[in-house]
Amino acid sequence: MSGELDRDRLSALWQRQFPKGPPVAHELRAAYSDRWVRFHSLPGSKRYPETEDEYAVVLHRYNTVLDELFEGTDVHVITVAWSWEEPDGAELPPRRREVHPEGTRWTTLAHEDDPDLEFHSYTHLYADRRPWRPGAVDGILREVADDVLSGVIISDSGLTRLHHPYDGGADVIATNPEERDRLRESHRDWLPRNPSGL
């Protein structure tokens, strides 16, 4: 890890770079659709790897795009846990802590709109900053591929580009539409086949 997480700086940077909403990974593609592209992790848009060979393909695709985005830079790795209690309650999934021990609590988002207290929940975001290298987050990516972890975001230290791996692929928010188009063209075989890009 490159040093202690500066929570206030990261929060201010997020507000400046992504003012349309909080760091909720699955909402980014709609908010920044002009810079968004999706890649699938396996041939034929297969969702889940079942063999070590398929895991190798998934990790290769994730790491190839990550390396194109972040080669030679530091990255923020952001993982997510949820709880039904105040921020110090038990968090799910427990594997998050095992595969991202460097993650420091960055912020907590409260979901308290429902008048019934039983339905209040909390999203806890953990982050660390580290030099990017291929394979640096493979433990996290395998958990994502198995749908154990979700909501993961990987970004450069300036939050100019975002990579959101999910079970079945990855959403990328590029710096601009031109960069998005270059990425799309570089990996045409990994694109979803339907016209919406999903």
Side-chain angles (χ1 to χ4, degrees), residues 28 30 34 89 170:
L28 295 169
D34 62 321

Side-chain angles (χ1 to χ4, degrees), residues 32-96:
Y32 299 94
S33 60
D34 62 321
R35 301 186 287 157
W36 166 78
V37 61
R38 172 169 284 183
F39 300 107
H40 283 174
S41 296
L42 286 167
S45 298
K46 182 176 179 180
R47 188 100 188 216
Y48 298 104
E50 297 177 276
T51 66
E52 283 306 312
D53 286 344
E54 288 182 335
Y55 278 105
V57 171
V58 168
L59 292 174
H60 168 74
R61 288 188 181 191
Y62 282 145
N63 278 290
T64 297
V65 174
L66 285 162
D67 206 39
E68 288 178 35
L69 294 170
F70 307 127
E71 183 181 21
T73 68
D74 279 1
V75 293
H76 286 294
V77 177
I78 301 165
T79 56
V80 178
W82 294 270
S83 69
W84 294 101
E85 302 159 9
E86 290 296 331
D88 291 326
E91 297 173 358
L92 298 170
R95 290 280 298 151
R96 189 219 59 83

Side-chain angles (χ1 to χ4, degrees), residues 145-164:
D146 287 337
D147 196 24
V148 174
L149 293 184
S150 62
V152 171
I153 297 172
I154 303 165
S155 176
D156 58 287
S157 59
L159 296 184
T160 61
R161 300 174 176 94
L162 302 178
H163 182 279
H164 161 48

